[in-house]
Amino acid sequence: MGGSGQIGVPLLQRLYHAGWRVTGVSRHEQHDRPGLHWLQGDLSSMPALPARVDAIFSCGPLLKFAKWYEQSGIEASRVIAFGSTSAETKRGSADADERRVAQELREGEAALFAAAVPRKDAVTVLRPTLIYGAGRDATLTRIAQLARRLRYFPLPRGANGLRQPVHVDDLADAAFAVLDVPATFGQVYAVPGGEVLSYRDMVARTLACLRPPVRLIELPSPLFNLALLAAQATGRASGLGEAAVRRMRGDMTFDLGPAQRDFGYAPRAFRPSAEMFEPPRE
């Protein structure tokens, strides 16, 4: 599920090259190749699937997947699904929509594990931090796109909350790695990136890798708030509200120790390139 998404694409590549016969589901038309068969649909209008598979990988919305899985008759002894660390980081947000996202993520995890019990399926949920690397994420790619248009990028002073951006290839490696590891059955893992750095430094590295590099401007909070209001009025900062700005100053780090211990998780440091923020080619 979500096989044509930013995590699904590199995960399918790993399964394909490992000799798996893969059935992918995408909302958009895709092209088959030997060993890879595409079905068009989504979790609300799922096409006919094989009656039994060795494993199901979900790279799409967790709650919708959990509800589909609960009602489906498909036999699969192994289920690996992606959630998000937003289940925790947005739990106490001042923004109602963000609290709803966090609640849906937690509900999705609970529903998935509950549905697996009577079926005796082994479920693992992976919670990524801030994703990058495929030009399809809603944070760093959006920052890069806006910075290219403006030729600068403003941040409020003190945006020093800690982050662990994680590359899509490391997430695909994680999903593939947990497949046959019994220690991961029935577990939820944070899968952060391999480096802890401040929000400001994360943005600065992103801007520095662009062609040409874009200048970072740090503004006093009152001036930044005025600039943000102007950007919102013109539609250039949609989705960037007060809660998101506040989070820039808060730490959002997670322990990768359990993932390292149980399935050898070894994510890369944050070394962005301009290509990582280019929109994918059709």
Side-chain angles (χ1 to χ4, degrees), residues 178-192:
V178 302
L179 189 59
D180 297 318
V181 181
T184 68
F185 297 177
Q187 300 298 318
V188 177
Y189 294 94
V191 279

Side-chain angles (χ1 to χ4, degrees), residues 24-107:
V25 180
S26 173
R27 288 173 297 172
H28 308 290
E29 185 178 1
Q30 306 291 331
H31 300 290
D32 291 355
R33 55 179 169 171
L36 174 57
H37 175 56
W38 283 100
L39 298 173
Q40 189 170 357
D42 58 31
L43 292 167
S44 60
S45 57
M46 188 64 72
L49 295 171
R52 175 168 178 76
V53 296
D54 293 319
I56 300 175
F57 294 87
S58 172
C59 304
L62 182 58
L63 181 56
K64 289 184 178 181
F65 171 71
K67 290 180 176 179
W68 169 83
Y69 169 74
E70 183 179 19
Q71 300 298 322
S72 74
I74 191 170
E75 294 182 39
S77 58
R78 191 72 175 102
V79 179
I80 299 163
F82 281 94
S84 172
T85 51
S86 293
E88 298 301 330
T89 60
K90 295 182 179 179
R91 190 170 192 163
S93 172
D95 186 289
D97 286 337
E98 292 184 347
R99 293 197 304 274
R100 176 186 54 77
V101 168
Q103 179 65 26
E104 288 183 356
L105 285 164
R106 296 194 301 276
E107 288 178 3

